[in-house]
Amino acid sequence: MSSGEEQTLLLEDELLLQNENNGLHTGDGSVDINGMAVLKQKTGNWTACSFILGNECCERLAYYGIATNLVTYLTGKLHEGNVSAAKNVNIWAGTCCFTPLIGATLADAYWGRYWTIFVFSTIYFIGMCTLTLSATIPVLKPAECIGSLCPPATPVQYGVFFFGLYLIAFGAGGIKPCVSSFGADQFDATDPKERVKKGSFFNWFYFSINIGCLVSSSLMVYIQDKAGWGLGFGIPALFMGIAIAIFFSGTPLYEFCLVYVKRLESKFMLTYLFYLICQRSTGKKVSTDLCLDKAAIMSEAEIKGGDFSDPWRLCTMTQVEELKILICMFPIWATSIVFSAVHAQMSTIFVEQGMQMDKTIGSFNIPPASMITIDVISVIFWVPIYDRIIVPIARKFTGRERGFSELQRMGIGLFISMLSMTAAALLEIKRLQLVKELGLVGDAVAVPLSILWQIPQYMLIGTAEIFTYIGQLEFFYEQSPDAMRSLCSALSLLAASLGSYLSSFILSMVTYLTTTGGKTGWVPDNLNAGHLDYLFWLLAGLSFFNLLIYTVCAKRYKEKKAS
């Protein structure tokens, strides 16, 4: 018997023995940070996830504590112009959505999720501290304006500030795709009860994100405007430090996927053994009907040469199957870009619409941008209802552990997002009717229609997030190749970034096409003379066709049954 066959039998026997240990250990072969088998009752599950959820809430509070009011700091303290400040914020936000690809690659290919979170959290915290120092130390702060004269920031002041800012982008991007996947890893995929809990984890993970966002968009903005930016940046830095402390306090309770512990040990052999054992223990049939399978077949020359170690010339069967899975997931991923484009309207067109409405409630004036808190509140409201009420009811009809499949859940969200654009269009029609009745077409003034009428469209967007965004988290975790879960989570973040770019492209094309020949256009500076409702109908129509394409892709998609 060859040494390879002996290793195969030993590894199979170990797996079978583990499955017969009367439930003392996890069925998926999880280990602790030292590579030792863990006791199922003492590690993982909600006990470990409580540390991960606390970490995520504090980290998101820190992130949005910087991002929410960043443009105000650039214009008010660094004395940048509106266009320059907007560009800098957009570039930084885009960077935050692209850097997850770096963190995911390092997590899946080299370090594992835990150590990737460790490294990038440290970078993140250093960036937060640098930003705080740039707003606190007098020599690093630009001089205050004297009347209308505002002295520009020096190169050193700019350099320190943007160095800290992009360390944050690099650090945040590095941990984004890892935290949700690492949290889901704490549940045993071979235990039916824990599979249900894993579905709930994604709901509460998104809930934690929005709690952090709500605190930042309200309390932190107030502190920055009233108490100063040193404290306004210092508190988020403190919460980032707390986030790191919470995460690493749970280390003894975490379960680690065995594939990462053994990743660097005889990579080719272990991948092949893993393939054999999965096929035997789970019944997972590996297809061989695509031309991609040729990548795992040796030519006669290679067989004669006897060199099977070059990964650029010969792939394992598992690697080929992983590529097939990614190809099948691509159409589902692509349809999520349109949803992200619709979601992007909250911080742009919805705000511009609100600026042309009555913003007063008694003596209080509502900032149009603050209406986004309705979306956050909607998410916080719907997560427990979905998890505790909707899922159990849906389970009775569908027979699924989590009520809906990931694809069904995402489809429902796409439909609701279409309704949000419809609600915005109907509101704009009503607003333009008042404009004509009051003879305000030529005046860029607000009409006597309360901004609170925007609540339905914000709430519908928030409800759609519960289905589509959380469904995406589940989908990219469950359906991705086992060794590429962080990377696939990063791709979902990339879809959000591309959605923002698509939104900008649509707006640019609409402006170009509707202003030819000297026409006013749909979205002029004076919205009372435009037709913003047409833009909303366009987005609703685009959402409808995207939903049709998604439905076809979802019906053709073959779910991964084994992990």
Side-chain angles (χ1 to χ4, degrees):
M1 182 181 294
S2 68
S3 61
E5 292 174 336
E6 289 177 356
Q7 291 183 53
T8 302
L9 291 175
L10 287 173
L11 203 52
E12 288 181 341
D13 290 341
E14 184 179 347
L15 180 62
L16 293 173
L17 180 63
Q18 188 180 51
N19 289 335
E20 296 172 359
N21 61 8
N22 297 321
L24 292 177
H25 301 287
T26 59
D28 57 7
S30 298
V31 296
D32 62 16
I33 193 170
N34 297 314
M36 305 298 293
V38 295
L39 291 176
K40 188 173 183 178
Q41 298 301 321
K42 294 184 178 181
T43 58
N45 219 304
W46 284 116
T47 304
C49 283
S50 62
F51 291 90
I52 297 172
L53 294 177
N55 162 267
E56 182 65 13
C57 182
C58 291
E59 183 274 322
R60 289 290 90 185
L61 190 154
Y63 175 82
Y64 287 112
I66 302 300
T68 302
N69 214 21
L70 181 58
V71 69
T72 303
Y73 185 83
L74 292 176
T75 56
K77 295 300 179 180
L78 290 184
H79 313 315
E80 289 192 349
N82 290 331
V83 175
S84 177
K87 286 182 179 179
N88 279 324
V89 171
N90 288 331
I91 293 172
W92 179 75
T95 304
C96 290
C97 289
F98 277 104
T99 49
L101 294 174
I102 300 173
T105 301
L106 291 173
D108 286 340
Y110 300 101
W111 297 344
R113 289 186 263 276
Y114 177 87
W115 291 111
T116 302
I117 293 172
F118 171 80
V119 172
F120 281 92
S121 292
T122 304
I123 295 172
Y124 196 153
F125 183 65
I126 294 173
M128 297 291 291
C129 292
T130 302
L131 210 64
T132 303
L133 292 175
S134 72
T136 305
I137 299 176
V139 71
L140 298 179
K141 296 190 300 181
E144 296 291 335
C145 296
I146 302 176
S148 60
L149 180 63
C150 297
T154 66
V156 172
Q157 292 167 343
Y158 263 119
V160 172
F161 177 80
F162 281 102
F163 176 72
L165 195 64
Y166 277 89
L167 279 181
I168 292 172
F170 190 62
I175 67 176
K176 268 184 180 181
C178 300
V179 178
S180 61
S181 299
F182 186 69
D185 287 343
Q186 305 310 308
F187 299 96
D188 186 356
T190 65
D191 187 327
K193 293 182 179 179
E194 291 201 22
R195 285 200 301 268
V196 175
K197 293 178 182 178
K198 183 181 292 189
S200 293
F201 167 78
F202 289 109
N203 295 328
W204 293 105
F205 181 81
Y206 203 72
F207 180 87
S208 300
I209 290 175
N210 281 271
I211 288 292
C213 179
L214 180 62
V215 174
S216 292
S217 61
S218 54
L219 180 60
M220 290 311 307
V221 171
Y222 178 82
I223 291 174
Q224 289 165 353
D225 289 345
K226 301 297 182 181
W229 290 93
L231 188 63
F233 286 158
I235 293 176
L238 174 63
F239 271 96
M240 187 59 214
I242 294 173
I244 295 173
I246 290 174
F247 179 79
F248 291 108
S249 295
T251 298
L253 301 173
Y254 295 148
E255 295 177 358
F256 297 80
C257 185
L258 188 60
V259 67
Y260 300 116
V261 178
K262 297 294 185 182
R263 185 176 301 279
L264 299 179
E265 300 179 13
S266 189
K267 204 168 186 179
F268 180 88
M269 178 59 73
L270 283 178
T271 303
Y272 183 63
L273 291 178
F274 181 74
Y275 164 81
L276 291 176
I277 293 173
C278 281
Q279 192 171 19
R280 171 173 169 176
S281 62
T282 66
K284 182 179 177 181
K285 182 68 174 178
V286 180
S287 65
T288 56
D289 58 348
L290 293 179
C291 63
L292 292 173
D293 294 326
K294 294 179 181 180
I297 300 174
M298 291 179 290
S299 66
E300 293 184 6
E302 289 170 333
I303 294 175
K304 291 179 180 179
D307 183 12
F308 313 138
S309 61
D310 187 354
W312 295 104
R313 296 176 62 87
L314 180 67
C315 298
T316 64
M317 287 176 284
T318 299
Q319 290 170 336
V320 172
E321 291 304 312
E322 288 176 346
L323 178 58
K324 293 178 186 177
I325 292 172
L326 291 179
I327 292 173
C328 292
M329 293 173 66
F330 179 78
I332 304 297
W333 172 83
T335 54
S336 66
I337 296 175
V338 174
F339 176 82
S340 297
V342 170
H343 185 268
Q345 305 311 308
M346 285 196 304
S347 58
T348 54
I349 303 301
F350 281 11
V351 176
E352 293 180 1
Q353 183 188 44
M355 292 172 66
Q356 302 302 311
M357 302 176 70
D358 183 8
K359 298 174 285 295
T360 58
I361 299 179
S363 59
F364 183 72
N365 191 57
I366 301 176
S370 68
M371 290 295 290
I372 198 172
T373 57
I374 301 298
D375 165 80
V376 177
I377 293 171
S378 178
V379 171
I380 294 173
F381 172 78
W382 278 109
V383 163
I385 291 179
Y386 180 88
D387 193 66
R388 302 301 181 187
I389 299 177
I390 296 178
V391 169
I393 293 175
R395 188 182 297 136
K396 294 179 180 179
F397 292 95
T398 64
R400 289 181 172 270
E401 295 171 337
R402 301 178 186 177
F404 300 103
S405 69
E406 296 96 344
L407 293 174
Q408 289 172 338
R409 184 172 186 175
M410 292 164 64
I412 293 171
L414 293 179
F415 175 76
I416 296 174
S417 69
M418 180 179 66
L419 297 182
S420 71
M421 291 296 101
T422 302
L426 294 175
L427 176 61
E428 184 64 12
I429 289 174
K430 177 62 178 177
R431 196 189 71 81
L432 291 177
Q433 286 178 348
L434 285 175
V435 167
K436 292 180 179 178
E437 291 174 2
L438 299 174
L440 300 175
V441 174
D443 301 319
V445 296
V447 300
L449 181 64
S450 177
I451 195 174
L452 296 181
W453 283 105
Q454 284 192 313
I455 289 178
Q457 61 204 56
Y458 278 101
M459 289 194 67
L460 285 169
I461 286 285
T463 307
E465 287 182 51
I466 291 298
F467 287 92
T468 297
Y469 275 154
I470 301 180
Q472 281 181 10
L473 286 174
E474 288 188 75
F475 177 78
F476 285 111
Y477 178 86
E478 296 290 354
Q479 298 301 312
S480 62
D482 298 337
M484 300 179 68
R485 282 174 170 163
S486 296
L487 181 60
C488 289
S489 296
L491 291 177
S492 68
L493 296 171
L494 179 61
S497 176
L498 294 178
S500 297
Y501 293 145
L502 176 61
S503 175
S504 297
F505 175 76
I506 291 173
L507 189 58
S508 297
M509 291 302 298
V510 164
T511 301
Y512 174 76
L513 295 174
T514 61
T515 56
T516 55
K519 296 179 182 178
T520 304
W522 292 0
V523 193
D525 291 336
N526 176 17
L527 292 182
N528 290 344
H531 268 290
L532 197 58
D533 53 329
Y534 291 173
L535 177 63
F536 289 136
W537 285 123
L538 174 63
L539 291 169
L542 186 61
S543 299
F544 174 74
F545 285 109
N546 183 65
L547 179 59
L548 293 181
I549 295 172
Y550 173 83
T551 302
V552 173
C553 295
K555 286 184 176 180
R556 292 183 177 181
Y557 183 81
K558 295 181 180 179
E559 294 185 3
K560 189 178 76 169
K561 298 299 183 183
S563 180

